């Protein structure tokens, strides 16, 4: 039997090198994809930008909803920074108040008599249009399920349509909210009951979860009371307060020591803000 041929030293060196190059070619791509999908959620502008159909009506400037702030609990809308760029949503869109603070772009469509061409408005959700079950959804119950309906201040309505239009077909899409300053925390309550109104939220605009932390406690889950009012039963007086706020796009902002340890009920504080 002939002796085995001697191995070529060049082949011996090339084999592990080729294997290493193959591994580098395969795994960096997989690792990059995994990192991107877990740490960078899709932008709101790409996930919530589809135009959809709805209808819109308006209410007069003398309506008390101008000052009381409606079902989201924002109080005086002008002082809260929302002004007249606000909207009330029908039941099928309101999500029991979770959507409070979200921003929509609206434009008038399908009626050349009343639409103002080339215009659109951006509004924040501050109120709820209650259903009227004395009427059918297509016979006067404009905010009855499953209708998608927007109720606007007349000042906002007249930017996209002539007021005589009354009940107008519109198209809408949800967009990112852009705000000046940080998230605002208005603290109210008594004793161990603490309620916090959260407003001026950028990005998704809404709030889906809130945690609060005293300087001598861990993080405590807060519950939604109504609208964007959140509450907790805990003795947090004489402690600096921190807040963790999560929005519907799963982004979270933590504001440490927003309120000093000598905070009082009735005070408002400003924390960090979502990036937009």
């Amino acid at each position: 039997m002939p002796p085995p041929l001697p191995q070529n030293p060049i082949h011996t060196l090339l084999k592990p090198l080729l294997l290493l190059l193959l591994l580098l070619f395969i795994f960096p791509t997989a690792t990059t994809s995994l990192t991107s999908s877990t740490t960078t959620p899709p932008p709101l502008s790409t996930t919530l930008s589809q135009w959809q159909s709805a209808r819109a009506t308006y209410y007069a400037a003398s309506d008390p909803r101008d000052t009381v702030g409606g079902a989201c609990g924002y109080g005086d809308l002008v002082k809260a920074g929302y002004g007249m760029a606000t909207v009330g949503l029908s039941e099928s869109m309101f999500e029991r108040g979770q959507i409070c603070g979200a921003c929509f772009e609206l434009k008038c469509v399908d009626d050349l008599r009343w639409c103002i061409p080339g215009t659109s408005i951006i509004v924040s959700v501050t109120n709820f249009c209650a259903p009227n079950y004395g009427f059918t959804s297509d016979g006067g119950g404009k905010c009855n399920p499953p209708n998608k309906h927007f109720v606007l201040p007349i000042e906002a309505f007249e930017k996209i349509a002539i007021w005589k239009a009354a009940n107008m077909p519109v198209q809408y899409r949800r967009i990112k909210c852009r705000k000046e300053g940080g998230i605002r925390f208005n603290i109210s309550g008594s004793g161990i009951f603490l309620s916090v109104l959260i407003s001026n939220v950028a990005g998704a605009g809404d709030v889906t979860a809130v945690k609060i932390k005293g300087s001598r406690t861990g993080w405590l889950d807060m519950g939604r009371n109504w609208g964007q009012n959140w509450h907790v039963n805990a003795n947090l007086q004489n402690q600096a307060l921190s807040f963790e706020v999560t929005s519907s796009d799963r982004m979270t902002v933590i504001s440490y020591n927003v309120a000093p340890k000598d905070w009082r009920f009735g005070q408002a504080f400003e924390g960090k803000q979502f990036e937009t």
Side-chain angles (χ1 to χ4, degrees):
M1 182 174 180
L5 295 174
Q7 291 189 349
N8 190 325
I10 296 178
H11 289 172
T12 304
L13 292 172
L14 282 178
K15 283 182 180 180
L17 181 60
L18 289 173
L19 180 59
L20 178 61
L21 289 173
L22 181 62
L23 291 173
L24 289 173
F25 178 79
I26 295 173
F27 286 101
T29 304
T31 304
T32 302
S33 174
L34 178 61
T35 303
S36 174
S37 64
T38 55
T39 63
T40 308
L44 189 67
S45 58
T46 60
T47 58
L48 299 172
S49 63
Q50 298 299 315
W51 288 101
Q52 301 181 61
S53 297
R55 297 191 74 86
T57 51
Y58 64 85
Y59 60 89
S62 59
D63 193 291
R65 282 176 290 190
D66 284 350
T67 57
V68 299
C72 292
Y74 291 129
D76 188 311
L77 296 179
V78 175
K79 290 182 179 179
Y82 294 100
M84 294 292 103
T86 60
V87 67
L89 298 184
S90 59
E91 185 173 46
S92 63
M93 302 180 69
F94 191 63
E95 300 176 6
R96 297 185 178 182
Q98 178 179 306
I99 203 169
C100 286
C103 296
F104 289 90
E105 183 178 7
L106 277 72
K107 61 182 180 181
C108 181
V109 294
D110 299 335
D111 198 328
L112 298 179
R113 293 177 304 164
W114 308 121
C115 291
I116 300 176
T119 60
S120 68
I121 55 172
I122 295 174
V123 291
S124 298
V125 179
T126 62
N127 210 346
F128 172 54
C129 179
N132 183 347
Y133 293 113
F135 298 93
T136 62
S137 58
D138 57 356
K142 60 182 182 292
C143 290
N144 292 4
N147 293 345
K148 294 182 178 181
H149 198 92
F150 293 82
V151 182
L152 300 160
I154 191 170
E155 293 87 349
F157 186 90
E158 287 187 316
K159 293 183 182 296
I160 58 173
I162 308 300
W163 67 270
K164 290 183 179 180
N167 192 340
M168 279 296 301
V170 295
Q171 285 188 334
Y172 72 93
R173 63 179 178 179
R174 190 166 169 185
I175 63 172
K176 281 188 176 183
C177 298
R178 301 190 181 278
K179 303 293 181 181
E180 294 184 3
I183 299 173
R184 295 177 191 146
F185 303 91
N186 291 70
I187 302 175
S188 60
S190 177
I192 66 169
F193 177 78
L194 188 143
S195 178
V196 180
L197 168 63
I198 299 177
S199 61
N200 201 54
V201 180
D206 57 6
V207 177
T208 58
V210 181
K211 293 182 180 180
I212 188 171
K213 180 184 181 303
S215 52
R216 299 194 301 271
T217 74
W219 286 103
L220 307 173
D221 290 323
M222 301 190 76
R224 187 189 303 276
N225 196 350
W226 59 284
Q228 290 301 0
N229 286 276
W230 296 76
H231 71 276
V232 68
N233 288 319
N235 185 1
L236 295 172
Q237 295 186 26
N238 301 313
Q239 300 182 56
L241 302 180
S242 303
F243 294 94
E244 179 185 290
V245 177
T246 302
S247 55
S248 60
D249 57 0
R250 301 189 300 277
M251 302 297 290
T252 295
V253 165
I254 300 177
S255 300
Y256 289 103
N257 301 321
V258 171
K261 66 178 182 179
D262 59 348
W263 64 268
R264 295 289 182 267
F265 292 115
Q267 291 182 313
F269 303 94
E270 188 172 300
K272 290 186 176 181
Q273 185 60 276
F274 289 100
E275 295 183 4
T276 56

